[in-house]
């Protein structure tokens, strides 16, 4: 059983200092002698020179051992009984620099005897007993390396992480990484996890004239943030660790300018039971070796005393840095943090959990390792308006984590005073999608100016620029995110350029993003950089801050691997890591295989993956995983790829249904989002959708298009407000299988929708895809089936043609609609009158007033019979007719106007 003794050196009085042993006066020492020892200490020769250290250690031993030779007696007793002795040393702050860890009597005492020096803060824990845990230790590791400290101050903290991981991999410790290095991130992670047994912070420390001892942490963009002990305590006060290791230079030593104790002392005094720090500057290599050994010992059930001594002994041969390692604490009994002898249980890694960005199907990490600290900090700097550009391009191969990184950035600006709204565009961009989504945002937030801009008759380019000039600058800070942007690019030589149809859509965003002055931003994620020139300026290069992502390697790869449990525990881990190539998505799929290795022929798998590129491996692994689940499941994934938009589970009933959906989600081949309380939508993972769909035969594709049409058609018929994306998909699938009559009502609804959005040409374009398929035979079929929906579509298409300046074509489609109206309703119906009236307008546009008058008169005849003389529709048609007469110069005009005005009291 360990024994303990407390040696206290009091403040100077009358040129002397009292030395107390276990509360009683032992002897006096001259303050002048102490001053000489302090002067010798400050030369720091002992830091790396063992001879200087031994000489200083002998003097310190003599200082404490005078009088009754108490210290010598302790050493002899401990050696004879082979027991541990805790030597608690308590001094005033001005003696903090004295390196009592160097105590020397023929040899250095601490590495060679079972004597443990603890720098005593106070006696608050003396009667306390702390039971060791019966579960793995939980440790938070955080490395701080501000980018503006200078090149010589950048830490290789990844090596320290990797060394600690390696040393503790087979022991009861669960290590989490706080991967931002920021002061705010430390508090957030600690609170979210409910605290840790150990917090390890590595980095640089120093002294500030106002704050006193400080640790050099990072702010959200990676720049220096000086953190005082009070600030650090405030960040972790809700869940204090049992051990805090401040692995920064001089965290355990007092600065000569300081009128107070060291950083480590202060943290122990504020309530943390054990605090480790360094008395002087320490090398990265030495600090890493010490930390790894301390945590190895703690994880197998040893006490902090044993762990520190073991680290000292490990470095005994090389001397530095064991003498400058200092342990601060209270008088609580030292017991292991974790119970010795427990069977090894791997600590629970952070479970991979994904979520989707608001109002999009862009998948990002909700929990799990993202890494990319410097990239995230650069992104925060851009989005926070602290960089010289206000747009961001995040690029890299498929599966590398582009969306996850953007998700982290978006999350940073989702709340608080820096909050920004988010609009997401995925894949191929279209003018209609841009206007619809932006209007939805501005409508929801009540931006009258913004909605007015979008509903104006201005050109698209002018609308986007006006938003950045005003609304996005002064009213609604917004992140506008274009995901999977490579779908809008084409390759020419070794460069990528925007497709012609995308140029006019994206260019205004890049031109105008600066006008918002950082209040709003444009973010693009793409596999490739791209060129878009305007007046000789390559806009992406000048407007977007470029973040190029590469595969994980080193410590980052290790952290990613640790959260992939199956890979981490597999004997084939090297193979998985080799073919994962540090690509997060590939590693996650390989983890799926590792969970059920017995199902797979790993030798065959490795042979087929050898020397293959990531794009091939993506498609191949998905195919292997799906096929291994069985032919029915494999076919289900291929058929499910017919849906390009997220759909609910009923869409898959005819293809295998819910049993396969859950399996697909578990295997990460199907993505699922909770859109409302336990209401889910699903879609095949985009990176494999085209490959899976391409495995079907033409007949199978035809069959699935038909099923998809039937599902969309049924869903739309029940929806109070149909999703325009679903309307587009209904039209697409109907055309694929030749269900033209079925496509007509959905195309008309889309045309009306885009018309209301002042997107006339977009509405016309989608209606045209159906109109060109409406043959005379189909008109006859509609007449035979009395299908008014076809007539309504033809009428709407004709109206759009006339509105956009093609009256001749409009008349042809009005006549097709009339043919169906006549068959369904006969010659006296308001719909027929409307078509006649519109044909009259078309003839007038063609400059033929005689034809216009004839059709207006047909319309009036029907309307008078149906509604009588006093009705707005009648008045409107009279006015149209009056307009024709007015422009023709006919003398009958005055008589007609008089008749019109007298017979109608209603003025439309």
């Amino acid at each position: 059983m360990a024994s303990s003794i407390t040696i206290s050196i009091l403040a100077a009085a009358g040129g002397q200092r009292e030395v107390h042993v276990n509360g009683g006066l032992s002897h006096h020492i001259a303050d002048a002698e102490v001053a000489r020892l302090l002067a010798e200490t400050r030369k720091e020769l002992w830091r790396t020179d063992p001879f200087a250290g031994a000489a200083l250690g002998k003097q310190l031993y003599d200082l404490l051992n005078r009088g009754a030779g108490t210290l010598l007696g302790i050493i002899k007793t401990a050696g004879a009984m082979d027991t541990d002795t805790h030597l608690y040393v308590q001094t005033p702050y001005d003696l903090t620099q004295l390196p009592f860890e160097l105590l020397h009597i023929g040899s250095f005492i601490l590495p060679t005897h079972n004597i443990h020096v603890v720098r005593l803060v106070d006696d608050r824990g003396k009667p306390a007993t702390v039971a060791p845990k019966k579960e793995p230790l939980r440790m938070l590791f955080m490395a701080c390396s501000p980018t503006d400290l200078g090149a010589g101050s950048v830490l290789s903290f990844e090596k320290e992480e990797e060394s600690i991981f390696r040393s503790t991999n087979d022991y009861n410790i669960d290590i989490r990484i706080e991967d931002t290095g920021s002061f705010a991130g430390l508090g957030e992670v600690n609170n979210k996890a409910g605290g840790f047994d150990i917090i390890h912070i590595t980095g640089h420390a120093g002294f500030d004239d106002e704050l006193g001892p400080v640790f050099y942490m990072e702010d959200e963009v990676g720049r220096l943030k000086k953190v005082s002990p009070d600030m650090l305590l405030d960040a972790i006060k809700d869940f204090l660790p049992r051990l805090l290791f401040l692995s920064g230079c001089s965290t355990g030593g007092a600065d000569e300018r300081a009128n107070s104790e060291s950083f480590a002392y202060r943290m122990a005094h504020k309530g943390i039971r054990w605090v480790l720090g360094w008395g002087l500057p320490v090398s990265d290599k030495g600090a890493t070796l010490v930390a790894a050994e301390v945590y190895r010992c703690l994880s197998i059930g040893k006490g902090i005393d044993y762990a520190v001594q073991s680290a000292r002994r490990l470095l005994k041969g090389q001397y530095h840095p064991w003498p400058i390692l200092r342990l601060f604490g209270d008088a609580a009994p030292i017991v292991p943090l974790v119970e010795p002898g427990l069977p090894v249980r791997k600590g629970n890694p952070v479970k991979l959990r994904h979520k989707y960005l608001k109002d999009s199907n862009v998948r990002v990490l909700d929990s799990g390792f993202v890494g990319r600290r410097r990239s995230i900090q650069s992104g925060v700097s851009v989005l926070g308006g602290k960089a010289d550009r206000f747009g961001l391009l995040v690029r890299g191969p498929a599966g590398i984590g582009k969306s996850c990184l953007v998700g982290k950035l978006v999350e940073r600006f989702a709340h608080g005073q820096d909050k920004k709204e988010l609009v997401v565009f995925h894949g191929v961009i279209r003018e209609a999608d841009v206007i619809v989504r932006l209007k939805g945002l501005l409508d929801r937030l009540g931006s009258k100016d913004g909605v007015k801009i979008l509903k104006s008759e201005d050109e698209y380019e002018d609308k986007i620029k006006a938003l950045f000039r005003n609304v996005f600058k002064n009213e609604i800070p917004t992140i506008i995110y274009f995901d999977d942007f490579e779908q809008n690019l084409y390759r020419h030589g070794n460069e990528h350029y925007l497709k012609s149809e995308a140029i006019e859509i994206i260019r205004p965003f890049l031109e105008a993003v600066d006008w918002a002055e950082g209040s709003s931003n444009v973010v693009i994620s793409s596999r490739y950089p791209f060129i878009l020139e305007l007046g000789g300026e390559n806009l992406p290069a000048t407007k977007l801050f470029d973040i190029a992502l590469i595969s994980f390697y080193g410590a980052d790869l290790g952290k990613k691997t640790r959260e992939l449990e199956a890979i981490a525990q597999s004997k084939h881990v090297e193979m998985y890591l080799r073919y994962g190539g540090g690509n997060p998505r590939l590693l996650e799929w390989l983890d799926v295989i590792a969970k059920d290795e017995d199902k797979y022929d790993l030798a065959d798998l490795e042979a087929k993956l050898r020397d293959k590129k990531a794009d091939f491996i993506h498609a191949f692994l998905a195919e292997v995983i799906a096929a291994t689940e069985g032919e029915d499941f494999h076919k289900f994934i291929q058929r499910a790829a017919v849906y390009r938009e997220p759909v609910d589970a009923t869409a898959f009933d005819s293809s295998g249904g819910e049993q396969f959906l859950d399996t697909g989600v578990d295997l990460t081949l199907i993505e699922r989002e909770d859109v409302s309380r336990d209401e889910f939508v699903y879609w095949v993972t985009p990176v494999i959708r085209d490959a899976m769909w391409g495995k079907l035969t033409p007949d199978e594709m035809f069959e699935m298009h038909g099923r998809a049409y039937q599902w969309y058609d049924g869903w739309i018929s029940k929806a109070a407000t149909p999703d325009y994306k679903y309307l587009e998909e209904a039209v697409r699938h109907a055309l694929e299988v030749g269900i033209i009559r079925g496509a007509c009502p959905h195309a008309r609804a889309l045309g009306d929708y885009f018309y209301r959005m002042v997107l006339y040409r977009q509405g016309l374009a989608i209606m045209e895809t159906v109109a060109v398929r409406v043959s005379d035979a189909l008109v006859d079929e509609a007449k035979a089936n009395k299908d008014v929906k076809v007539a309504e579509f033809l009428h709407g298409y004709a109206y759009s043609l006339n509105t956009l300046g093609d009256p001749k074509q409009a008349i042809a489609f009005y006549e097709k609609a009339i043919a169906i109206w006549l068959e369904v309703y006969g010659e006296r119906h308001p719909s027929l009158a409307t078509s006649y009236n519109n044909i009259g307008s078309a003839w007038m546009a063609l400059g033929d007033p005689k034809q216009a008058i004839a059709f207006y008169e047909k319309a009036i005849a029907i309307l008078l019979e149906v509604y009588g003389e006093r009705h707005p529709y009648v008045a409107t048609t009279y006015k149209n007719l009056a307009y024709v007469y007015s422009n023709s110069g006919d003398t009958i005009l005055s008589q007609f106007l008089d008749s019109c005005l007298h017979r109608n009291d209603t003025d439309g």
Side-chain angles (χ1 to χ4, degrees):
M1 184 173 180
S3 61
S4 65
I5 185 171
T6 301
I7 298 180
S8 304
I9 303 177
L10 304 189
Q16 296 285 316
R17 292 179 183 262
E18 293 183 359
V19 179
H20 289 245
V21 176
N22 286 338
L25 177 63
S26 171
H27 57 280
H28 291 82
I29 53 177
D31 195 40
E33 181 182 2
V34 174
R36 286 195 298 274
L37 284 174
L38 281 171
E40 190 68 26
T41 297
R42 288 170 184 150
K43 293 178 182 178
E44 296 186 8
L45 298 175
W46 59 273
R47 176 172 170 256
T48 55
D49 183 352
F51 297 104
L56 185 56
K58 290 174 183 177
Q59 296 178 69
L60 290 169
Y61 168 78
D62 179 64
L63 198 73
L64 299 182
N65 190 53
R66 291 177 192 167
T70 304
L71 186 55
L72 178 59
I74 291 171
I75 296 170
K76 289 182 176 180
T77 301
M81 300 182 64
D82 195 25
T83 60
D84 291 278
T85 297
H86 300 132
L87 176 58
Y88 292 96
V89 178
Q90 195 169 28
T91 68
Y93 71 85
D94 58 330
L95 302 188
T96 296
Q97 290 178 305
L98 291 176
F100 292 104
E101 291 74 16
L102 285 175
L103 290 173
H104 192 284
I105 178 174
S107 63
F108 291 108
I109 292 174
L110 298 194
T112 55
H113 298 78
N114 290 333
I115 306 293
H116 311 279
V117 168
V118 180
R119 291 177 176 255
L120 184 63
V121 174
D122 59 37
D123 294 334
R124 65 171 179 263
K126 199 162 191 176
T129 57
V130 181
K133 294 175 58 172
K134 295 184 179 181
E135 58 185 20
L137 286 174
R138 300 179 70 245
M139 170 181 158
L140 176 64
F141 182 98
M142 175 178 179
C144 309
S145 186
T147 56
D148 52 349
L149 268 186
S153 300
V154 176
L155 298 176
S156 57
F157 54 81
E158 293 91 349
K159 292 181 179 178
E160 187 170 353
E161 293 174 7
E162 200 166 6
S163 177
I164 293 171
F165 278 142
R166 188 169 55 249
S167 298
T168 62
N169 192 51
D170 295 324
Y171 302 106
N172 284 320
I173 188 167
D174 173 13
I175 301 178
R176 305 288 177 89
I177 303 295
E178 195 296 306
D179 54 10
T180 71
S182 71
F183 175 62
L186 171 63
E188 181 181 335
V189 171
N190 191 55
N191 289 335
K192 189 173 182 179
F196 296 87
D197 301 306
I198 303 167
I199 293 180
H200 179 108
I201 307 176
T202 189
H204 293 290
F207 182 84
D208 181 85
D209 289 336
E210 294 183 5
L211 297 174
V214 290
F215 207 98
Y216 295 152
M217 293 190 177
E218 301 177 33
D219 65 11
E220 61 185 6
V221 298
R223 295 174 184 155
L224 172 63
K225 183 176 182 65
K226 295 179 180 179
V227 176
S228 69
D230 286 338
M231 293 166 65
L232 181 56
L233 181 75
D234 190 61
I236 62 174
K237 64 184 178 184
D238 292 329
F239 301 100
L240 293 179
R242 296 165 70 183
L243 170 65
L244 172 65
F245 194 161
L246 295 166
S247 191
C249 295
S250 303
T251 51
D255 190 280
E256 290 185 23
R257 296 168 290 171
N259 191 29
S260 65
E261 289 288 359
S262 67
F263 201 124
Y265 180 98
R266 288 192 184 190
M267 295 309 297
H269 190 264
K270 292 176 183 297
I272 299 177
R273 178 145 288 166
W274 306 111
V275 181
L276 282 170
W278 298 101
L280 290 174
V282 60
S283 67
D284 288 354
K285 181 180 178 181
T288 298
L289 290 172
V290 166
E293 180 63 11
V294 165
Y295 297 134
R296 184 193 71 81
C297 294
L298 293 176
S299 69
I300 61 174
K302 298 296 184 179
I304 185 65
D305 52 352
Y306 179 95
V308 170
Q309 184 185 58
S310 181
R312 295 191 201 279
R313 288 175 173 173
L314 179 70
L315 299 173
K316 180 182 176 182
Q318 64 187 64
Y319 185 69
H320 178 84
W322 73 255
I324 61 174
L325 179 63
R326 295 180 177 179
L327 174 62
F328 296 81
D330 60 18
I334 296 179
V335 296
L337 299 182
V338 64
E339 191 170 289
L342 290 176
V344 174
R345 288 189 292 157
K346 294 287 185 180
N348 296 321
V350 176
K351 296 294 183 183
L352 276 174
R353 186 170 66 247
H354 292 88
K355 63 180 180 181
Y356 298 88
L357 291 182
K358 184 179 179 182
D359 299 327
S360 78
N361 58 346
V362 178
R363 191 176 82 149
V364 299
L365 272 180
D366 186 28
S367 67
F369 176 68
V370 175
R372 324 285 192 189
R373 177 195 294 191
R374 296 308 184 204
S375 296
I376 290 174
Q377 290 171 342
S378 296
V380 169
S381 181
V382 170
L383 300 187
K386 299 176 182 177
D388 59 354
R389 299 177 195 179
F390 304 117
L392 195 61
L393 173 63
V394 181
R395 59 184 174 90
I400 204 68
K402 300 183 293 293
S403 298
C404 289
L405 186 140
V406 173
K408 287 288 267 188
L409 296 176
V410 167
E411 188 178 70
R412 162 63 184 79
F413 291 91
H415 309 284
Q417 63 181 13
D418 296 330
K419 179 180 178 181
K420 297 191 178 191
E421 299 296 329
L422 174 67
V423 180
V424 181
F425 303 97
H426 182 75
V428 176
I429 55 172
R430 299 182 308 160
E431 181 179 322
D433 290 339
V434 171
I435 298 298
V436 167
R437 287 192 174 273
L438 291 181
K439 181 178 179 295
L441 169 73
L442 300 175
D443 235 344
R444 175 172 59 83
L445 297 176
S447 174
K448 294 181 180 179
D449 289 343
V451 172
K452 182 179 178 181
I453 289 170
L454 291 179
K455 295 188 77 171
S456 72
E457 298 285 346
D458 292 344
E459 293 294 327
Y460 167 86
E461 177 179 355
D462 295 329
K463 292 178 181 180
I464 300 303
K465 289 181 176 179
L467 290 176
F468 276 98
R469 194 180 292 115
N470 182 12
V471 177
F472 288 152
K473 177 182 178 181
N474 303 316
E475 186 180 344
I476 303 175
T478 304
I479 297 171
I480 301 160
Y481 175 33
F482 298 92
D483 182 47
D484 275 3
F485 195 74
E486 65 274 359
Q487 296 183 37
N488 301 286
L489 307 178
Y490 72 93
R491 183 170 182 168
H492 180 71
N494 292 323
E495 306 286 358
H496 286 84
Y497 296 83
L498 270 176
K499 294 177 181 177
S500 58
E501 59 268 26
I503 291 175
E504 300 303 323
I505 300 173
I506 198 67
R507 188 173 62 197
F509 285 96
L510 299 187
E511 282 188 80
V513 64
D514 291 351
W515 301 352
E517 298 178 1
S519 180
S520 293
N521 312 91
V522 173
V523 178
I524 297 175
S525 59
S526 170
R527 294 187 189 180
Y528 318 107
F530 62 96
I531 294 172
L532 173 58
E533 290 191 323
L534 177 66
E537 176 187 5
N538 181 19
L539 293 178
T542 58
K543 303 290 186 177
L544 303 177
F545 185 93
D546 184 41
I547 295 179
L549 300 187
I550 61 175
S551 299
F552 286 138
Y553 66 94
D556 275 356
L557 179 58
K559 285 178 275 188
K560 181 65 182 177
T561 304
R562 283 174 66 86
E563 72 181 10
L564 301 173
E565 294 180 82
I567 287 180
Q569 297 175 21
S570 171
K571 64 181 180 180
H572 303 289
V573 60
E574 290 185 5
M575 181 195 78
Y576 292 128
L577 294 182
R578 181 165 61 253
Y579 294 113
N583 184 297
R585 174 55 70 90
L586 285 181
L587 287 167
E588 288 167 22
W589 276 347
L590 286 164
D591 194 58
V592 169
I593 292 175
K595 286 176 183 176
D596 291 297
E597 288 181 340
D598 293 341
K599 288 184 178 181
Y600 299 88
D601 185 340
L602 295 183
D604 180 64
L605 181 69
E606 182 173 18
K608 290 177 178 175
L609 292 180
R610 191 173 294 121
D611 299 325
K612 296 297 190 297
K613 293 184 178 180
D615 285 346
F616 170 86
I617 296 176
H618 269 114
F620 180 76
L621 287 181
E623 189 73 18
V624 168
I625 292 170
T628 302
E629 284 299 310
E631 181 56 32
D632 289 344
F633 176 78
H634 194 190
K635 187 61 71 176
F636 166 77
I637 294 293
Q638 294 168 357
R639 289 172 174 167
V642 71
Y643 294 104
R644 299 190 303 189
E645 293 296 320
V647 292
D648 68 40
T650 61
F652 304 95
D653 285 344
S654 60
S655 304
E658 207 160 334
Q659 66 179 74
F660 288 145
L661 280 178
D662 291 340
T663 302
V665 170
D666 290 342
L667 297 176
T668 71
L669 302 178
I670 296 281
E671 299 190 11
R672 176 177 65 194
E673 181 182 10
D674 189 349
V675 293
S676 183
R677 296 176 180 175
D678 294 326
E679 292 183 13
F680 298 99
V681 290
Y682 303 83
W683 64 98
V684 173
T685 299
V687 74
I688 64 167
R689 197 192 75 83
D690 289 344
M692 287 295 178
W693 177 247
K695 298 291 183 180
L696 296 177
T697 66
D699 287 344
E700 288 173 324
M701 289 181 180
F702 186 88
E703 177 190 356
M704 289 311 303
H705 280 303
R707 290 183 182 181
Y709 164 72
Q710 293 296 335
W711 184 84
Y712 280 116
D713 186 60
W715 190 94
I716 291 167
S717 68
K718 300 172 186 175
T721 307
D723 184 325
Y724 86 95
K725 286 285 190 181
Y726 278 17
L727 289 169
E728 289 181 331
E729 288 301 291
V731 170
R732 181 176 75 89
H733 292 297
L735 293 179
E736 288 286 351
V737 293
I739 307 177
I740 310 305
R741 284 171 52 202
C744 286
H746 304 311
R748 178 177 178 272
L750 276 169
D752 291 346
Y753 177 81
F754 287 130
Y755 188 88
R756 293 193 299 273
M757 298 293 296
V758 200
L759 294 167
Y760 306 129
R761 296 195 181 280
Q762 287 74 17
L764 179 67
I766 197 161
M767 286 194 289
E768 185 178 12
T769 63
V770 178
V772 296
R773 304 278 294 272
V774 180
S775 62
D776 291 341
L778 190 133
V779 172
D780 291 340
E781 183 182 322
K783 289 161 62 177
N785 288 276
K786 299 187 182 301
D787 190 344
V788 296
K789 291 182 178 179
V790 175
E792 290 169 350
F793 164 73
L794 293 169
H795 179 92
Y797 179 60
Y799 183 85
S800 292
L801 285 169
N802 194 37
T803 299
L804 291 173
D806 192 352
K808 187 174 182 179
Q809 271 285 85
I811 291 170
F813 281 94
Y814 278 133
E815 288 175 344
K816 290 184 178 184
I818 287 171
I820 300 173
W821 294 136
L822 287 170
E823 188 69 28
V824 176
Y825 298 125
E827 296 184 353
R828 292 291 183 263
H829 192 272
S831 295
L832 199 62
T834 302
S835 290
Y836 285 145
N837 180 74
N838 290 350
I839 289 178
S841 297
W843 278 116
M844 191 61 191
L846 286 169
D848 192 335
K850 186 178 289 187
Q851 285 279 30
I853 290 170
F855 279 96
Y856 283 142
E857 288 179 342
K858 283 185 177 184
I860 288 174
I862 296 172
L863 293 173
L864 286 172
E865 185 172 333
V866 174
Y867 297 120
E869 294 184 352
R870 300 180 183 279
H871 194 276
Y873 290 171
V874 176
T876 299
T877 309
Y878 272 135
K879 287 181 180 179
N880 289 340
L881 193 53
Y883 175 77
V884 178
Y885 280 121
S886 174
N887 280 275
S888 66
D890 198 314
T891 57
I892 199 171
L893 172 60
S894 60
Q895 299 174 7
F896 172 78
L897 288 174
D898 183 67
S899 172
C900 175
L901 293 172
H902 279 83
R903 287 185 296 174
N904 275 277
D905 293 329
T906 306
D907 189 19

